[in-house]
Amino acid sequence: MDVILLQILNGLDKGSAYALIALGLTLIFGTLGVVNFAHGALFMIGAFCSVTLQRILSWSFETIDPDKTDFLGNPATVKTPYVVEWFGESTGLAIIDWSVPLAILFSIPIMIAFGFIMERGLIKHFYKRPHADQILVTFGLAIVLQEVIKAFYGANPIPTPAPSAFTGSFDFGLLLGFAENTIIYPYWRMVYFAFSLVVIGGVFSFLQFTTFGMVVRAGMADRETVGLLGIDIDKRFTFMFGLAAAVAGIAGVMYAPINSPNYHMGMDFLVLSFVVVVVGGMGSLPGAVLAGFMLGILESFASMNIIKSFIPGIDQIIIYLVAILILLTRPRGLMGRKGVMEE
Amino acid sequence: MSKLLTTRRSVLRTGAAAGAGLAMPTIFTASSVAAFTNDPTGSSVTLGFNVPQSGPYADEGADELRAYELAVEHLNGGGDGGMMNTFSSKVLDGTGILGKKVEYVTGDTQTKSDAARASARSMIEKDGAVMITGGSSSGVAIAVQGLCQEAGVIFMAGLTHSNDTTGKDKKANGFRHFFNGYMSAAALAPVLAARYGTDRTAYHLTADYTWGWTQEESIAAATEALGWNTVEKVRTPLASTDFSSYIAPVLNSGADVLVLNHYGGNMVNSLTNAVQFGLREKVVNGKNFEIVVPLYSRLMARGAGANVKGIFGSTNWHWSLTDEGSQAFVRSFGTKYGFPPSQAAHTVYCQTLLYADAVQRAGSFNPCAVAEALEGYDFDGLGNGPTHYRAGDHQCFKDVLVVKGKENPENEFDLLEIVEITPRAQVEYAVDHPMFAGGDLGSCNGGA
């Protein structure tokens, strides 16, 4: 029982990331009809927004300390961050400590602008081209983006710690009457899960309860009619692209403390998120969220040693296996609508 | 009715083409002129540096390349000479190798066996490289070593730590300066037992490929010999990025030590995850929970940030060593690039000097003569103390460093502190040790 609970909890944070990326992916597909393989790269860029802000906040001036020596035996330079100089030691260090949550604010305008430029500058020209072309161009873009990041930040992962208030883990087991240390779960992952629920809730309410969202949904259902009513649906869809980019971006920002960002993290998530979208049903938002969490949790279970001992390597293929099973039994995915990608 | 199509002209044409084809020297067949593959006949000699320039180990590859450039500079008489001044052998005089200026070409292994083989092959066939060296993965090292054996060139391995490189996959043309999983374990286990006691229960997470397997086997055997229990060994896919689902069950298993047989990005992520789960603050079986990383790399430790503090591991070399050779190398490298070299940079620099020295002593670039000069060679002054290149498996034997993540780093490079320099005698093993058995060195291939 405790093992099962543990793995469900474990699947939640990974599921959250899948769900957030898949949400943006399916949003773009549903509105613009584009299969955006650069979406994982947007997640990665979000994570690097965390890294960048952390670096900006840690920007330091150097003073020479004659008492210390560097690795060559010369007098060492001591770095003092400007924020510490300006705001005093305690406030300055607290600002650096909280760089990841602060990076959410930092990343949103960047990601929206990035989404706009990407859509207007490149993807727009591929609306009328076959899906294969769209996949190729966005996949190419993803490779370019990750190489650019690698050129600037190097290939090794960059540590981006969560605020020190969130270090350590919570003992769920004690709460449920298990022995100590049976079910533990890091605080930051709880934050990530809660954060993803808020973002998913926000996106759904935006689409459900605002006029803008209503028009977008109408456009997703029947683009032509909405256009005939005199509404510039393309402009709204461009905005949705920006929104989807921002969702992927902040998902990446908050994920940075869970796994130190590296240039390749987008690709790692992209393929899985794409499977999540297909399993959830192309163009279905609730499907993407449901499938995201479901596959995250299944993946967690599959990496248990007891299951791996029955079927070796199952942890590497479980997601694809489930995808095959679901597509065999429900070809439109879990919550796919009729008519999507079927013309 | 058929007409006889054979004419004198067509016979001549076919014959000439066939003759030209047969006469064309290829790297895998004998050429009647050269005695061995890529015999350098001009005033220069070309070495092939095969390092990961893209992919997950690109940073280590870049550091290896810096060290190679430095070595070439020193061999050609430039710079301050670095470790050439402290090297026990004095036959290198800064005039290149055998009077030929050293030039180099580079290839990108991408940390993929097939890409690494392709780039090595291209350097041998197109650029005429007489020796191939480099790499940051055992899978790649074993693949390229095999290719060099077939091609008839010497392979001076870079960073490769799997027992198999000089164990079951050893080759007569391949040489390894870097240490291996067995040596790490033999050095580390007694230190662990001394610090953490002999009544410990270990849980292993292991990268699922040749290096991980041999590292796990080595460290489990060495710790068990000192009284530790191994409760579980879990293989994790090399491509994993999130290890939480592997780490969550650890506390529940009754283990009080987690051994991370991971390297590179795997190590950074699994260690970060383990620290996030608060494992290091837990008390299990009445003892503080501990984490061990058998193979440390400073470049990787940087990625894990503060998480490495207090964690034990081993390393082949560290820039803070105070012997003459290490200091000369750090000075030379640090002055040129502005930061201290990594262990990857150190091992490839040594390998380049060792190769050049062997050629010089042998008086020939012939791989078989070079191999003979390296086999059983004793040297000193390259940063690891007295070192022996064993003839039986082409593995270097030298002291091993047991290190610990430093609690209070003085600068951004000061991440590891040396806990013990384990003497060579403690990490030696027989050529036919079970963990290394099964392979055959074979005989050297000069390609002729």
Side-chain angles (χ1 to χ4, degrees):
Chain A
M1 183 61 197
D2 49 335
V3 183
I4 295 173
L5 275 174
L6 188 64
Q7 294 301 349
I8 290 180
L9 270 178
N10 245 320
L12 285 183
D13 53 277
K14 210 185 274 181
S16 310
Y18 291 157
L20 286 174
I21 302 176
L23 185 67
L25 206 57
T26 201
L27 208 56
I28 292 175
F29 182 76
T31 51
L32 301 165
V34 173
V35 183
N36 181 22
F37 265 62
H39 212 67
L42 294 173
F43 177 77
M44 181 263 297
I45 287 175
F48 275 90
C49 281
S50 279
V51 174
T52 310
L53 188 71
Q54 183 186 270
R55 289 199 174 170
I56 292 175
L57 292 177
S58 312
W59 212 304
S60 311
F61 59 89
E62 294 181 349
T63 43
I64 294 199
D65 184 346
D67 300 334
K68 286 184 179 168
T69 51
D70 71 358
F71 73 97
L72 285 174
N74 304 323
T77 47
V78 178
K79 290 179 174 173
T80 317
Y82 282 106
V83 285
V84 171
E85 181 77 1
W86 294 335
F87 302 105
E89 181 140 357
S90 59
T91 321
L93 290 180
I95 292 176
I96 297 175
D97 190 33
W98 281 78
S99 63
V100 169
L102 288 174
I104 296 179
L105 301 175
F106 174 74
S107 70
I108 289 175
I110 294 181
M111 295 311 298
I112 291 183
F114 200 86
F116 269 48
I117 296 168
M118 200 170 134
E119 199 268 344
R120 288 289 96 182
L122 184 70
I123 294 181
K124 185 180 83 168
H125 306 291
F126 285 82
Y127 287 154
K128 298 205 165 61
R129 305 271 287 265
H131 284 303
D133 289 11
Q134 298 170 350
I135 289 173
L136 282 178
V137 74
T138 50
F139 196 73
L141 181 65
I143 293 173
V144 169
L145 288 176
Q146 73 175 35
E147 289 303 312
V148 168
I149 289 289
K150 195 173 82 183
F152 280 98
Y153 294 89
N156 277 333
I158 300 166
T160 320
S164 47
F166 296 102
T167 48
S169 54
F170 181 71
D171 202 328
F172 269 104
L174 282 182
L175 212 65
L176 300 169
F178 292 103
E180 201 186 352
N181 293 340
T182 336
I183 306 177
I184 52 165
Y185 198 61
Y187 288 117
W188 186 257
R189 286 173 191 252
M190 286 163 66
V191 171
Y192 194 80
F193 177 59
F195 168 80
S196 72
L197 291 186
V198 170
V199 174
I200 291 167
V203 171
F204 274 93
S205 347
F206 177 73
L207 289 174
Q208 209 65 36
F209 304 122
T210 64
T211 320
F212 191 102
M214 202 173 69
V215 173
V216 168
R217 279 188 295 129
M220 282 166 84
D222 190 346
R223 187 184 184 126
E224 214 165 304
T225 311
V226 176
L228 286 173
L229 291 170
I231 294 170
D232 186 354
I233 193 71
D234 284 353
K235 204 183 266 176
R236 291 172 193 243
F237 280 178
T238 305
F239 176 79
M240 290 314 289
F241 194 99
L243 183 75
V247 168
I250 53 178
V253 167
M254 294 291 277
Y255 203 76
I258 295 180
N259 271 335
S260 301
N262 69 350
Y263 74 99
H264 203 262
M265 69 189 295
M267 280 300 177
D268 299 339
F269 273 92
L270 170 81
V271 180
L272 293 173
S273 301
F274 190 70
V275 175
V276 166
V277 170
V278 172
V279 167
M282 294 294 280
S284 159
L285 298 179
V289 175
L290 177 74
F293 282 112
M294 188 185 88
L295 292 180
I297 290 169
L298 276 175
E299 201 184 6
S300 222
F301 273 106
S303 44
M304 286 163 64
N305 227 20
I306 179 150
I307 295 185
K308 280 173 69 174
S309 62
F310 285 121
I311 319 168
I314 184 74
D315 48 341
Q316 295 184 68
I317 56 160
I318 179 78
I319 287 198
Y320 309 102
L321 205 63
V322 171
I324 292 171
L325 285 178
I326 287 189
L327 290 181
L328 277 177
T329 49
R330 294 181 65 90
R332 288 193 188 105
L334 288 176
M335 302 176 86
R337 285 172 297 129
K338 197 177 173 186
V340 177
M341 270 197 109
E342 287 174 9
E343 66 271 9
Chain B
M1 192 181 117
S2 69
K3 197 174 160 191
L4 192 62
L5 287 171
T6 318
T7 62
R8 183 184 141 272
R9 189 164 289 187
S10 76
V11 169
L12 275 179
R13 201 159 44 207
T14 320
L22 285 172
M24 188 105 77
T26 68
I27 64 158
F28 297 130
T29 54
S31 126
S32 55
V33 189
F36 54 92
T37 304
N38 292 338
D39 184 3
T41 48
S43 60
S44 66
V45 54
T46 306
L47 309 181
F49 301 149
N50 206 19
V51 303
Q53 298 181 47
S54 58
Y57 295 159
D59 287 358
E60 300 211 309
D63 219 41
E64 289 188 0
L65 215 46
R66 288 184 201 108
Y68 280 130
E69 282 165 8
L70 193 68
V72 168
E73 186 183 320
H74 292 164
L75 286 172
N76 287 332
D80 61 5
M83 280 199 281
M84 259 167 57
N85 303 321
T86 58
F87 191 16
S88 56
S89 169
K90 298 295 174 198
V91 296
L92 294 169
D93 51 8
T95 56
I97 309 176
L98 288 183
K100 291 182 194 293
K101 185 168 184 278
V102 182
E103 290 177 348
Y104 65 90
V105 286
T106 70
D108 182 6
T109 67
Q110 302 171 32
T111 310
K112 292 176 187 158
S113 300
D114 50 347
R117 282 176 69 99
S119 58
R121 180 185 289 267
S122 155
M123 288 191 284
I124 297 168
E125 288 182 352
K126 293 205 184 90
D127 305 312
V130 70
M131 179 271 273
I132 297 294
T133 173
S136 188
S137 148
S138 290
V140 164
I142 289 168
V144 175
Q145 180 163 274
L147 177 100
C148 290
Q149 178 71 35
E150 292 162 29
V153 299
I154 289 284
F155 174 64
M156 301 297 278
L159 193 156
T160 159
H161 190 248
S162 169
N163 291 345
D164 293 346
T165 312
T166 46
K168 75 176 175 55
D169 295 310
K170 58 181 172 274
K171 291 280 182 286
N173 282 33
F175 289 85
R176 168 160 70 177
H177 173 265
F178 207 68
F179 70 153
N180 58 38
Y182 176 90
M183 295 178 177
S184 280
L188 193 53
V191 175
L192 294 176
R195 300 288 170 125
Y196 301 147
T198 48
D199 178 27
R200 283 281 185 170
T201 309
Y203 192 105
H204 288 257
L205 289 185
T206 303
D208 201 1
Y209 75 111
T210 167
W211 170 70
W213 305 327
T214 64
Q215 177 63 72
E216 176 195 270
E217 184 188 18
S218 305
I219 190 85
T223 48
E224 282 166 13
L226 293 171
W228 286 25
N229 258 327
T230 305
V231 64
E232 189 104 65
K233 294 172 177 172
V234 178
R235 301 281 165 88
T236 61
L238 189 58
S240 300
T241 52
D242 185 5
F243 291 87
S244 55
S245 44
Y246 300 103
I247 282 168
V250 172
L251 276 182
N252 223 350
S253 66
D256 45 39
V257 177
L258 173 63
V259 182
L260 295 174
N261 298 306
H262 284 151
Y263 189 70
N266 277 350
M267 184 279 253
V268 171
N269 287 327
S270 64
L271 180 58
T272 307
N273 287 169
V275 172
Q276 275 167 10
F277 270 82
L279 293 192
R280 299 186 70 194
E281 287 99 61
K282 301 291 178 195
V283 174
V284 183
N285 309 331
K287 290 172 283 247
N288 281 333
F289 193 94
E290 305 292 351
I291 300 175
V292 176
V293 177
L295 176 62
Y296 249 130
S297 141
R298 182 176 53 80
L299 291 178
M300 305 303 174
R302 202 167 59 190
N307 296 332
V308 299
K309 286 184 181 179
I311 289 179
F312 281 92
S314 69
T315 186
N316 189 54
W317 179 83
H318 194 255
W319 64 267
S320 64
L321 284 168
T322 52
D323 64 284
E324 220 186 353
S326 300
Q327 286 198 324
F329 181 52
V330 173
R331 194 161 47 242
S332 181
F333 189 100
T335 312
K336 182 162 183 177
Y337 301 112
F339 43 83
S342 62
Q343 59 171 352
H346 170 257
T347 198
V348 302
Y349 180 93
C350 292
Q351 285 282 69
T352 315
L353 288 199
L354 285 166
Y355 172 79
D357 175 71
V359 172
Q360 200 86 10
R361 285 185 291 113
S364 162
F365 286 96
N366 189 328
C368 295
V370 177
E372 205 184 312
L374 281 169
E375 284 175 346
Y377 184 47
D378 284 296
F379 59 93
D380 197 356
L382 292 186
N384 300 103
T387 308
H388 176 69
Y389 238 130
R390 185 156 73 181
D393 55 2
H394 296 181
Q395 170 69 50
C396 263
F397 286 85
K398 51 193 169 7
D399 299 345
V400 170
L401 304 183
V402 176
V403 292
K404 187 172 88 160
K406 202 161 184 175
E407 297 285 354
N408 296 306
E410 283 175 18
N411 57 55
E412 60 182 307
F413 314 113
D414 188 26
L415 296 168
L416 303 178
E417 91 184 84
I418 297 167
V419 177
E420 182 193 279
I421 299 180
T422 307
R424 178 171 122 191
Q426 196 183 315
V427 301
E428 278 174 338
Y429 53 84
V431 176
D432 56 355
H433 187 283
M435 286 184 199
F436 295 83
D440 179 23
L441 202 56
S443 54
C444 95
N445 176 16

